[in-house]
Amino acid sequence: MKLLLSTHPDIQITEPIVTAAARNWENGKEVMELLLSTHPDIQITEPIVTAAAGNDYCGKEVMELLLSTHPDIQITEPIVTAAAGNRKEVMKLLLSTHPDIQITEPIVTAAARNWENGKEVMDLLLSTHPDIQITEHSLRAAAGNRKEVMELLLSTHPDIQITEPIVTAAAGNRKENGKEVMELLLSTHPDIQITEPIVRAAAGNDYCGKEVMELLLSTHPDIQITEPIVTAAAANIWRNGKEVMELLLSTHPDIQITEPIVTAAAENDYCGKEVMELLLSTHPDIQITESILTAAAWNRKEVMKLLLSTHPDIQITEPIVTAAAGNRKEVMKLLLSTHPDIQITEPIVTAAARNWENGKEVMDLLLSTHPDIQITEPIVTAAAGNRKEVMKLLLSTHPDIQITEPIVTAAARNWENGKEVMELLLSTHPDIQITESILT
């Protein structure tokens, strides 16, 4: 920056530039000092001060500099909220220079949510403003944080009402502190009613769901395990899906495994295969419906492979293949290998033509296994709204495709790749008629 200012002294220093300096972790103070010395008339706006207040590394130093050079800065709620999400030192500075700051709910909530320094910042706020009102919103933020923040609030405000949304936030705590926060709430408020939303949040907690669920089941053994709870467990990603489901099936062996539960497992992108294997081993008579298979067709091939191996007589319908056409090539390849007589219909090919991520690969596969596919206007229109590669493939395999007004209109409306697709169409079909509909 020093070099640029010396070689280009007429550079205009705008608000975004000063904001970037205020946010600079390593050299924020030095860059800000340089800008203020070369451009003393810089206007220090709220976004600039907010960036300094939220600077994790040198926020205090930048803020001290700004307050010393611009003592009349107005310290607004967004600035103090940013400081509440930072280290204690920034907040301490603001409270010392502006003791009349009003501590609002957003500020307290930001402190309650502060992962690294929440307890220290909250401690400071409570010591300087003992009459702060601790709202449900702030407590929900604390319930999703480390237990120390909640512990502090419960010790200073023992009469706080612990509502269902607060306990639900603790049950769904994704920072691996769910069990600790829940234990704390249950020890201070043993009469908490454990409702379905709370148990559902624990079942879906993809970090510490098993631990929270074990705790709830041990303290409240009469909890009713409903379909939405088991569905949440089946959809739970990472390692927790299988572990939570195993726990529920061991404590409640009479759970009825319904279509929505199996569908959630089939859709589970991370541990769907493991959850499905578990369900099939404990409930071998599960009916695998079209809805379940369609969900599996949208997922990784492992889930579909499992279902096809355990249920070889499954009927593969058009909706299932259409879903696969919109997914990765591997799923379609699997279906075509196990069911070579699948009829490839227009909706299936249209779904492949529309497939943003894997359209070319899926279309290539379909054309190689079914070279007699009829490429219709809806298919080419779908391709015109996609990346250039799909259209290029269709034009190379079917050079006699008629490029109609709807196709060119779709290319013209293609936000991401319209220019490339249109260039391709014009190069292969220079006589395309550009109508008013296309231009508008």
Side-chain angles (χ1 to χ4, degrees):
M1 179 63 79
K2 191 173 183 180
L3 173 63
L4 292 174
L5 290 174
S6 64
T7 56
H8 297 75
D10 297 328
I11 287 175
Q12 185 181 1
I13 302 301
T14 61
E15 183 184 71
I17 295 168
V18 189
T19 302
R23 192 180 290 118
N24 185 320
W25 284 7
E26 294 292 331
N27 304 285
K29 183 185 176 187
E30 291 75 13
V31 177
M32 186 65 78
E33 279 179 328
L34 177 62
L35 292 177
L36 292 173
S37 65
T38 56
H39 295 74
D41 296 329
I42 288 173
Q43 186 180 0
I44 303 301
T45 62
E46 184 183 72
I48 293 167
V49 188
T50 302
N55 187 323
D56 282 348
Y57 283 79
C58 56
K60 178 176 180 279
E61 291 73 20
V62 177
M63 187 66 78
E64 280 179 328
L65 175 61
L66 293 176
L67 291 172
S68 66
T69 57
H70 295 75
D72 297 328
I73 289 173
Q74 185 181 1
I75 303 301
T76 62
E77 184 182 72
I79 293 168
V80 188
T81 302
N86 201 346
R87 301 184 185 191
K88 170 184 174 180
E89 289 74 21
V90 180
M91 183 64 79
K92 193 173 182 180
L93 173 63
L94 291 178
L95 291 173
S96 65
T97 56
H98 295 74
D100 297 329
I101 288 173
Q102 185 181 0
I103 303 302
T104 62
E105 185 187 61
I107 294 166
V108 182
T109 301
R113 191 179 288 117
N114 185 330
W115 175 249
E116 292 294 335
N117 310 282
K119 180 179 181 290
E120 292 72 20
V121 175
M122 188 67 78
D123 216 356
L124 176 62
L125 292 177
L126 291 171
S127 65
T128 56
H129 295 74
D131 297 328
I132 290 173
Q133 185 181 2
I134 305 300
T135 65
E136 182 183 75
H137 190 60
S138 298
L139 285 166
R140 285 172 61 190
N145 203 339
R146 295 177 178 174
K147 84 167 186 178
E148 288 77 15
V149 180
M150 182 63 81
E151 205 166 35
L152 174 62
L153 292 175
L154 291 174
S155 67
T156 56
H157 295 72
D159 297 327
I160 284 173
Q161 184 182 1
I162 301 301
T163 62
E164 183 184 70
I166 295 166
V167 188
T168 302
N173 185 316
R174 299 186 73 250
K175 301 280 180 63
E176 300 188 359
N177 296 273
K179 183 185 177 187
E180 291 74 16
V181 178
M182 186 64 78
E183 280 179 328
L184 175 63
L185 293 177
L186 292 173
S187 65
T188 57
H189 295 74
D191 297 329
I192 289 172
Q193 185 180 1
I194 303 302
T195 62
E196 184 184 73
I198 293 167
V199 187
R200 192 168 68 241
N205 186 325
D206 52 4
Y207 279 75
C208 53
K210 183 190 175 204
E211 291 73 17
V212 178
M213 186 65 78
E214 279 179 328
L215 174 63
L216 293 176
L217 291 172
S218 66
T219 57
H220 295 74
D222 297 328
I223 289 173
Q224 185 181 0
I225 303 302
T226 63
E227 183 184 72
I229 292 168
V230 189
T231 303
N236 188 322
I237 60 175
W238 302 118
R239 61 183 176 85
N240 277 277
K242 182 183 178 184
E243 291 181 354
V244 176
M245 186 64 79
E246 277 179 328
L247 176 63
L248 292 178
L249 291 173
S250 65
T251 56
H252 295 74
D254 297 328
I255 288 173
Q256 185 180 359
I257 303 302
T258 61
E259 184 182 64
I261 293 168
V262 187
T263 301
E267 289 174 340
N268 189 324
D269 196 33
Y270 285 84
C271 56
K273 178 177 180 279
E274 291 71 20
V275 176
M276 188 67 78
E277 280 178 328
L278 176 62
L279 293 176
L280 291 172
S281 66
T282 56
H283 295 74
D285 297 328
I286 289 173
Q287 185 180 1
I288 303 303
T289 64
E290 183 181 74
S291 175
I292 292 166
L293 287 166
T294 302
W298 278 111
N299 202 343
R300 300 171 193 253
K301 77 168 185 177
E302 287 74 20
V303 179
M304 181 64 80
K305 190 173 181 180
L306 172 64
L307 293 175
L308 291 174
S309 66
T310 56
H311 296 73
D313 297 327
I314 284 172
Q315 184 182 0
I316 302 300
T317 62
E318 184 183 70
I320 296 166
V321 189
T322 302
N327 195 359
R328 304 173 181 94
K329 172 185 174 181
E330 289 72 25
V331 180
M332 181 65 78
K333 193 173 181 180
L334 175 64
L335 292 178
L336 292 173
S337 66
T338 57
H339 294 74
D341 297 329
I342 288 172
Q343 185 179 0
I344 303 302
T345 62
E346 184 182 72
I348 294 168
V349 187
T350 302
R354 190 179 290 116
N355 185 329
W356 182 258
E357 291 294 331
N358 308 283
K360 180 181 181 290
E361 291 73 19
V362 176
M363 185 67 79
D364 216 355
L365 175 63
L366 293 177
L367 292 172
S368 64
T369 56
H370 295 74
D372 297 330
I373 289 173
Q374 184 180 1
I375 304 300
T376 63
E377 184 182 72
I379 293 168
V380 188
T381 302
N386 202 341
R387 296 180 180 178
K388 169 185 173 180
E389 288 74 21
V390 181
M391 181 65 79
K392 191 174 181 180
L393 174 63
L394 292 178
L395 292 173
S396 66
T397 56
H398 295 74
D400 297 329
I401 288 173
Q402 184 180 0
I403 304 302
T404 62
E405 184 182 66
I407 294 168
V408 186
T409 301
R413 289 176 179 164
N414 185 331
W415 181 257
E416 292 288 335
N417 302 279
K419 179 176 181 287
E420 292 74 15
V421 175
M422 188 67 80
E423 281 179 332
L424 177 62
L425 293 177
L426 291 171
S427 66
T428 56
H429 295 73
D431 297 330
I432 289 173
Q433 185 178 1
I434 304 301
T435 65
E436 182 179 65
S437 174
I438 294 167
L439 290 171
T440 55

